[in-house]
């Protein structure tokens, strides 16, 4: 089955700096890659996603890039703010409706003042 | 909309007891997912339903775990008998699945289960 690896496990940045989280996947058939943000005591929430026919997608301060050849994708957060502090999960799916998601192990992002 | 509702939010029980976790998906959603989150194994899909029918239960760890969805607005995850290694946060999520459409999964707040 699919295996998703995520790095780093923890990341500390100063407010205003950029943060990058990287994931690799094993199944070349994977075609959908969402990113979820989980705040303390809450369930994960989708923040951005990308499909296999797109190389990059941006939404304000958040961007995701996908390299299908290398089977890796990354989350980029620019101009980080304290409210960006959370655990971020990448995921991959091979089915047509993104029903079966395989998640990475998570990255705890801490944005310091 | 109230979002996905889970109950209880916290459950503490003793080994060997039966545990039932409950979930109410977002109205109108036709897919429902149960996940388990632990430090060691991260977020794992246990089972998911489409139109109240179990589609994939390959993530269910053992026969001690069972899930039902008797109608579109309610699902349960039962553990019987419970063991200390079942201690985790259990999330329910729902989505409005459609063929060929990538559908966002909306997660509930989770149930933190502690088995002593």
């Amino acid at each position: 089955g699919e295996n998703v690896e995520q790095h780093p496990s923890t990341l500390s940045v100063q407010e205003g700096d950029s943060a990058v989280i990287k994931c690799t996947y094993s199944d070349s058939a994977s075609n959908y890659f969402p990113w979820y943000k989980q705040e303390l005591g809450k369930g994960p929430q989708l923040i951005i996603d990308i499909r296999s026919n797109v190389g990059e997608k941006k939404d304000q301060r958040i961007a995701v890039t996908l390299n299908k050849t290398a089977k890796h994708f990354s989350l980029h957060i620019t101009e980080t703010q304290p409210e960006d502090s959370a655990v971020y999960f990448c995921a991959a799916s091979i089915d047509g409706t993104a029903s079966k998601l395989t998640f990475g192990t998570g990255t705890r992002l801490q944005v310091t003042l | 909309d109230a979002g996905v509702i889970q109950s209880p939010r916290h459950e503490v029980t003793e080994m060997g007891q039966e545990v039932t976790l409950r979930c109410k998906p977002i109205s109108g959603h036709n897919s429902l997912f149960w996940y388990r989150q632990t430090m060691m194994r991260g977020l794992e899909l246990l089972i998911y339903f489409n139109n109240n029918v179990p589609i994939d239960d390959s993530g269910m760890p053992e026969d001690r775990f069972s899930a039902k969805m008797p109608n579109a607005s309610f699902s349960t995850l039962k553990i019987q008998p419970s063991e200390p290694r079942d201690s985790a946060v259990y999330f329910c999520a729902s989505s409005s699945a459609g063929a060929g459409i990538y559908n966002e999964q909306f997660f509930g707040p989770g149930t933190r289960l502690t088995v002593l």
Side-chain angles (χ1 to χ4, degrees):
Chain A
E2 174 67 286
N3 181 50
V4 177
E5 295 189 356
Q6 183 172 347
H7 300 281
S9 57
T10 60
L11 179 59
S12 182
V13 299
Q14 285 197 325
E15 183 179 8
D17 287 349
S18 295
V20 180
I21 302 170
K22 298 180 179 181
C23 290
T24 60
Y25 59 99
S26 61
D27 194 331
S28 58
S30 289
N31 53 18
Y32 175 67
F33 307 91
W35 286 87
Y36 282 80
K37 176 183 180 182
Q38 186 176 22
E39 297 178 339
L40 193 63
K42 298 183 179 180
Q45 182 177 12
L46 180 72
I47 56 171
I48 195 168
D49 56 12
I50 192 168
R51 305 178 189 182
S52 59
N53 59 348
V54 176
E56 183 174 359
K57 184 177 179 180
K58 189 174 182 180
D59 183 2
Q60 299 182 337
R61 296 186 297 108
I62 295 174
V64 58
T65 59
L66 171 65
N67 184 326
K68 287 198 66 180
T69 302
K71 291 190 284 187
H72 68 69
F73 55 113
S74 301
L75 177 71
H76 305 252
I77 306 174
T78 59
E79 301 173 20
T80 54
Q81 301 168 3
E83 51 265 40
D84 295 330
S85 296
V87 179
Y88 291 81
F89 292 93
C90 62
S93 173
I94 62 172
D95 71 20
T97 60
S99 293
K100 192 162 184 176
L101 295 175
T102 300
F103 283 85
T105 49
T107 296
R108 183 174 297 279
L109 174 64
Q110 180 71 44
V111 180
T112 59
L113 297 174
Chain B
D1 199 322
V4 176
I5 299 173
Q6 292 188 246
S7 64
R9 291 295 310 276
H10 298 88
E11 177 81 24
V12 180
T13 190
E14 292 188 345
M15 181 174 61
Q17 296 298 306
E18 176 179 296
V19 175
T20 299
L21 311 181
R22 297 172 175 81
C23 175
K24 177 178 170 55
I26 292 172
S27 178
H29 283 187
N30 60 348
S31 289
L32 182 139
F33 310 82
W34 282 102
Y35 289 89
R36 178 173 66 177
Q37 185 175 42
T38 62
M39 288 296 294
M40 291 297 294
R41 300 176 66 88
L43 198 59
E44 304 172 280
L45 176 65
L46 301 178
I47 184 171
Y48 79 90
F49 296 83
N50 192 39
N51 294 322
N52 311 338
V53 176
I55 302 300
D56 188 332
D57 66 353
S58 59
M60 296 286 263
E62 315 174 17
D63 291 346
R64 298 184 297 106
F65 286 69
S66 62
K68 294 182 179 180
M69 192 165 186
N71 57 63
S73 59
F74 183 66
S75 177
T76 60
L77 177 68
K78 185 177 293 186
I79 308 173
Q80 165 64 19
S82 58
E83 297 182 3
R85 59 194 168 117
D86 301 330
S87 297
V89 180
Y90 290 82
F91 288 103
C92 175
S94 70
S95 73
S96 54
I101 300 173
Y102 298 97
N103 304 292
E104 177 180 356
Q105 293 184 24
F106 293 83
F107 283 74
T111 295
R112 181 174 295 277
L113 173 65
T114 302
V115 183
L116 302 174

